[in-house]
Amino acid sequence: MRKKLNYKRMEGLQGYVFILPWIVGFIAFTAGPLIFSFAASFTNYNITSQMDFVGFENYENLFTADNLFWTSLYNTLYYVLFSIPLTTAGAIFLSALLNQDVPGIRFFRTIYYLPAVLSGVGVYLLWMQLLDPGTGLVNTALGWFGIPGPNWLFDPDWTKPALIFMKMWSVGGGMLLYLASMQGVSKSLYEAAKIDGASSWQQFRFITIPMITPVIFFDIVTSLIGGFQIFQEAYVMSNGEGGPVNSMLFYNLYMWKKAFESFDMGYAMAMSWILFIIVFIITIINLKLAPRWVHYEGEER
Amino acid sequence: MFRKKLMPLFFVMLLILSGCAGFKTGDSKSADSGDKVVIDFWSFWGSEIRRPVIDKIVADFNESQDKIEVKHTFVPWGDIWTKELAAIAAKNPPDVVINDINATALRGQKNQAMNLSQFLEKDDISDRFYEELWNATLYEGDSYGIPFNTDTRILFYNKTAFKEAGLDPEKPPATWEELWEYAEKLDVKNGDTYDRIGFYPLWGVNSDVWMLNSDGKNFFDEDGAPIIDTEANRETLEWVLDWHEKYGANTINSYKSQIDSQQGNPFFNGKLAMYVNTPTFYTQIRDYAPDLDFGVAMLPEREPGSGNTSWGGGFVAEIPQGSKHPEEAWEFIKHLTDAEAQEYWAVKNFDNVANIEAAENAAKNSEMPDRDKVVYQMAIDNMENTLLTPVPVNAPDFMNLVNPELDSILLGKKSIEQGLKDAQQSLEKLIEKSK
């Protein structure tokens, strides 16, 4: 008996040793900085010269004295609130279309996925041209239908819609996930439904959608986390300013400015922890709500 | 037995850990190559044009030295300063870095850049540079960076268009009123659209440059108190809005992207007759519109006698806090900012240098074509009128508060009075808070 226990412990230890590189990496590059940033959020840390404990001053200033904090939070929530339902719906719609068995479907699948491969600054610069109010393709196209296009990135009321619109362009990543999960739905379900006389829409509504809810859930949770971290788009398209009228001053952009332009690192770290808590709470709510609508095959209730 | 079996595993563990410990960067930097001290110099000059020029300046220095060797590292724009900051925090910074002049004092205050007064006491090189540039490097009287290059804003105008409009091509507008009159004559309207626009003040520069131009005053007074809600600023914004109304948002927005696109700038093909930009804009004319007949002038003054004040920025060479070879770094900075290296830089890059003697020599340099010389001389002359706007150390991010107010005014979402009042108040609050 004792020997067996030793063997088990032995095995456990070996396991730990094997994952040791990861543990070391985690402590050095993730947990360490996390703890440090939490501690530093209670200081006036500015990287080079000072790190005095200031208690909750950073947090207090954020909530009581900093209008830009609220502006950036509002902008970010606005973006998340609109972009996530739209991109999720868009991706499901596209994947439903691409889940058909028609000739040349592979070509379309590739085409629609392509934008997800292209990303980064180049794409944003491209979109700045497309969204140009005078010469851009978007307004030119709207003009064909007699619609006067807005000033997009120059009009504070339209900058966020413009970014959300742009986000729709890259639904290919989500689409691929949905496509894979749709193809995994058992054909027998559809056959049974057809025998019962279900229309295509009914099949989609009552078979496809419930069967892919785990993927929808996964997609929503990850896009929410990603959406709260929007930075690059706004940084490039507003020239690092967040304007006009702070309409593109997203949370992370403001945090970045605080950290690297005014060197208020402690303040920025307090901001990052507030964002963490917000995203954490939203994710928990998501997880709690999930059992009500997410369907897992073979799950016991 | 248990222990024995575990021994090899502990060795593996130790190996991994020691492997981690062995990763030390920057050893090569402090090591001497031969008997020379190697110092690391970071710049963002990596372009086809600039890189060879800076490399030649570095090579010249290395040849003249038997004690110091400079290694030039190109770090891309946008990354260089965050990387430098990380390197300072890691206590392993480069020895010399090129940085933005307007925040030099801030970096001095924050202990990122080294106080250079110990070196300046021995050899004072401050009189090499334009006074305005030198003053921008000071924090509490001590310099934290040595000016390298600068810029200023001047007026470019199309002489051919002037002739067509019946204006004297040798007589650029001198006041805001003349600027308006000239623009009216230069405008060519075709139905609802413009075939040529005379002038629009917010292409090339922002309204803050015009506010500076109108009364020669920054957003802060000498004591660091904000002075943004002023009569002159109100008038300036009214004037800017007049222009905005004149051409209309549609025309302005559709030109905007062309202006930002470099080779599509409407100034090149005569669709824009007058345009404010830095003297280096000339290199684009040279590349994209070599046949354009243009002139350069100082920014017009608001009214006779109010001054042709212009705005400029630039870069400094500084020694980051924690450099292991500050003495050697200082030697290199002296070389970098002396007349010879600066003249070479000025001529090869058509760039405004901070060294007065070098700038004046460059304007006479035989390597410069006559057309280049005219623009370069204007740049030098305009340094007289050029103000820098160093960020106040107690409110480095003040533009975050000012820009949205100016945006609101220009977009017509707020009245000029209200916008300036709000800007003034939020700046006062910011200053108050940071005391």
Side-chain angles (χ1 to χ4, degrees), chain B residues 254-285:
Chain B
S254 69
Y255 264 71
K256 177 89 179 91
S257 61
Q258 298 169 42
I259 282 170
D260 292 340
S261 78
Q262 291 219 337
Q263 68 260 46
N265 193 309
F267 187 75
F268 299 149
N269 56 18
K271 290 192 153 201
L272 175 64
M274 296 184 283
Y275 180 53
V276 171
N277 210 315
T278 58
T280 44
F281 175 66
Y282 164 69
T283 59
Q284 291 181 40
I285 300 181

Side-chain angles (χ1 to χ4, degrees), chain A residues 127 131 138 152 160-170:
Chain A
W127 272 96
L131 291 170
V138 175
W152 297 114
K160 284 185 283 288
L163 289 188
I164 292 163
F165 182 58
M166 185 181 89
K167 181 79 185 162
M168 296 289 292
W169 192 64
S170 58

Side-chain angles (χ1 to χ4, degrees), chain B residues 165-334:
Chain B
L167 294 162
D168 180 357
E170 301 310 321
K171 197 177 157 288
T175 60
W176 286 12
E177 211 180 310
E178 271 183 30
L179 194 59
W180 184 277
E181 282 166 22
Y182 281 37
E184 292 268 276
K185 288 186 184 152
L186 288 160
D187 285 338
V188 178
K189 213 173 177 186
N190 181 7
D192 275 346
T193 58
Y194 280 89
D195 282 347
R196 183 166 70 209
I197 283 185
F199 180 72
Y200 181 68
L202 299 190
W203 292 332
V205 293
N206 290 327
S207 40
D208 52 345
V209 171
W210 291 107
M211 290 191 228
L212 198 64
N213 170 274
S214 77
D215 61 355
K217 285 201 181 104
N218 196 353
F219 289 155
F220 295 91
D221 66 13
E222 286 82 29
D223 306 324
I227 39 162
I228 188 163
D229 189 13
T230 64
E231 186 57 36
N233 286 350
R234 274 195 291 273
E235 274 176 33
T236 306
L237 289 170
E238 261 164 41
W239 179 75
V240 169
L241 284 180
D242 284 346
W243 287 99
H244 198 80
E245 210 169 299
K246 173 178 162 72
Y247 293 113
N250 286 342
T251 310
I252 290 162
N253 285 334
S254 69
Y255 264 71
K256 177 89 179 91
S257 61
Q258 298 169 42
I259 282 170
D260 292 340
S261 78
Q262 291 219 337
Q263 68 260 46
N265 193 309
F267 187 75
F268 299 149
N269 56 18
K271 290 192 153 201
L272 175 64
M274 296 184 283
Y275 180 53
V276 171
N277 210 315
T278 58
T280 44
F281 175 66
Y282 164 69
T283 59
Q284 291 181 40
I285 300 181
R286 196 176 58 190
D287 295 346
Y288 302 123
D291 300 325
L292 188 74
D293 188 16
F294 71 94
V296 283
M298 291 172 184
L299 294 195
E301 41 187 3
R302 183 162 58 94
E303 54 193 32
S306 69
N308 305 81
T309 313
S310 186
W311 176 78
F315 294 96
V316 292
E318 61 190 28
I319 307 177
Q321 206 52 262
S323 155
K324 292 178 189 73
H325 305 288
E327 303 273 341
E328 288 80 2
W330 173 251
E331 285 303 313
F332 175 61
I333 288 181
K334 272 198 298 183

